[in-house]
Amino acid sequence: MSNFIVERAALDYLTMTFWEARYYERFLWSVVGDPDPDKCTDTSIMWYRGTRCNWDDGSIFYGVGENQGKKHWLTQTSGAAADRVGFALANEKKPGANVSRLDAQITIPLPDWYKAPAFTQTLRNGLWKGRSRKVTLIDGNGDDTVYIGSRSSDRYIRVYVKEKDWLRFEVEFKGKLAFAAWLRYEKSPLLAPAGILVSEIIKLPEHPIKKAFLEQLRNANAIDVQAKKPVKTPSKTFRWLITQVAPALERLLNDHDVGPAAADVLLSLVENSNVNRVG
């Protein structure tokens, strides 16, 4: 079994954090099972201590850490194993985890004519659909990598030669965008990876390699990954008005003696305010 998937869209990296032991234990039971000690070693990632297992189709790390006195658990899966694990968890519908990184990729046969420097120039000088992005070329002695976007951003793209004969387009989501991508994936694990990739590829300036990737994904509909905009929290004054003042005003308005006068005061305040009323 190969540790990477070719000629179809797939997940290639998946990081999940669990805050409840029961969900983490369910993950271990359904994904890790009874690990082979010959393929696993004790290790740590940041403040997480745990185990890394190398499977035939990729690798996984799982371990426990502590934040503000509370335990939580981390798993990181890479390679074709990430696609397999992601599919299994999506079918559970509620994995009980936060997804903090998700990578999707499409890998095609390397065209003889592909040259990373020429592709880089097209990206830098061409017309983007939407906002243009920073483009960096890293020389790899023939296996050059084109990076699109900022490494610190929540959306980062790599185009690179893999094992001499393949060319990969890979998008990495982190933070809130990773969780947004997971929600789209969870709804349709068979179709979402291709749709997510198409949405990123169609934004690129026109170039033959763009067409080659889109041809491999020709039956997919674009799925744009966007994090939900935070809902503005009402100010303390507004909360005080709703929770304290409004009930008192309601009592006054319903009072037989002072109700009419209270209504006149409120109407006067509204009439003399800058509020645009409908009607």
Side-chain angles (χ1 to χ4, degrees):
M1 184 183 296
S2 174
N3 64 357
F4 67 99
I5 294 168
V6 301
E7 298 183 290
R8 77 165 174 87
L11 299 189
D12 193 66
Y13 203 96
L14 190 62
T15 299
M16 310 185 86
T17 305
F18 299 81
W19 289 91
E20 293 187 42
R22 59 187 176 121
Y23 290 118
Y24 175 69
E25 290 167 1
R26 185 176 70 180
F27 172 90
L28 294 184
W29 177 82
S30 62
V31 172
V32 179
D34 187 14
D36 184 345
D38 294 333
K39 295 183 178 181
C40 302
T41 56
D42 292 338
T43 186
S44 61
I45 295 178
M46 299 180 293
W47 54 85
Y48 296 93
R49 294 183 177 275
T51 302
R52 179 176 298 281
C53 296
N54 294 313
W55 295 329
D56 293 337
D57 63 345
S59 67
I60 185 171
F61 168 85
Y62 52 95
V64 61
E66 192 169 299
N67 184 19
Q68 297 181 350
K70 185 176 180 180
K71 282 186 177 181
H72 56 290
W73 296 264
L74 177 81
T75 68
Q76 289 185 344
T77 315
S78 61
D83 193 69
R84 174 171 57 83
V85 169
F87 187 81
L89 292 177
N91 286 323
E92 290 184 3
K93 299 302 181 185
K94 294 182 179 180
N98 176 56
V99 176
S100 56
R101 177 175 165 181
L102 183 150
D103 296 8
Q105 63 88 6
I106 181 69
T107 304
I108 64 174
L110 176 64
D112 294 337
W113 44 263
Y114 174 74
K115 301 296 180 184
F119 180 47
T120 301
Q121 285 302 110
T122 296
L123 295 177
R124 287 174 176 168
N125 303 324
L127 182 63
W128 289 69
K129 291 184 178 179
R131 180 175 61 89
S132 62
R133 304 189 67 189
K134 175 183 177 182
V135 180
T136 305
L137 175 65
I138 302 297
D139 185 0
N141 295 321
D143 294 339
D144 303 337
T145 299
V146 180
Y147 296 96
I148 302 171
S150 170
R151 188 69 186 90
S152 60
S153 72
D154 287 350
R155 188 191 315 257
Y156 190 54
I157 293 170
R158 294 177 285 272
V159 181
Y160 60 98
V161 175
K162 189 169 182 66
E163 296 193 2
K164 305 298 182 182
D165 298 322
W166 302 95
L167 185 67
R168 170 172 289 187
F169 181 97
E170 183 175 80
V171 57
E172 172 188 322
F173 297 106
K174 299 193 297 290
K176 293 181 179 179
L177 276 185
F179 189 68
W182 172 259
L183 292 178
R184 302 305 297 268
Y185 175 82
E186 191 176 43
K187 291 180 180 178
S188 182
L190 291 176
L191 301 177
I196 289 169
L197 290 163
V198 166
S199 179
E200 299 300 325
I201 295 170
I202 61 177
K203 298 173 186 175
L204 305 179
E206 295 303 319
H207 185 278
I209 203 60
K210 172 183 176 179
K211 294 180 181 178
F213 282 125
L214 288 177
E215 174 62 23
Q216 190 67 50
L217 300 165
R218 57 188 175 275
N219 295 320
N221 295 317
I223 296 175
D224 190 27
V225 175
Q226 297 292 340
K228 288 185 177 180
K229 293 183 179 180
V231 178
K232 290 185 178 180
T233 304
S235 67
K236 290 183 179 179
T237 301
F238 185 75
R239 291 199 299 271
W240 167 77
L241 179 66
I242 294 299
T243 60
Q244 303 293 326
V245 178
L249 288 174
E250 185 178 11
R251 288 193 296 272
L252 285 174
L253 290 170
N254 290 314
D255 187 280
H256 179 74
D257 294 325
V258 300
D264 288 340
V265 171
L266 289 175
L267 288 172
S268 176
L269 289 173
V270 173
E271 291 291 343
N272 293 316
S273 72
N274 294 321
V275 175
N276 293 320
R277 291 184 296 159
V278 178

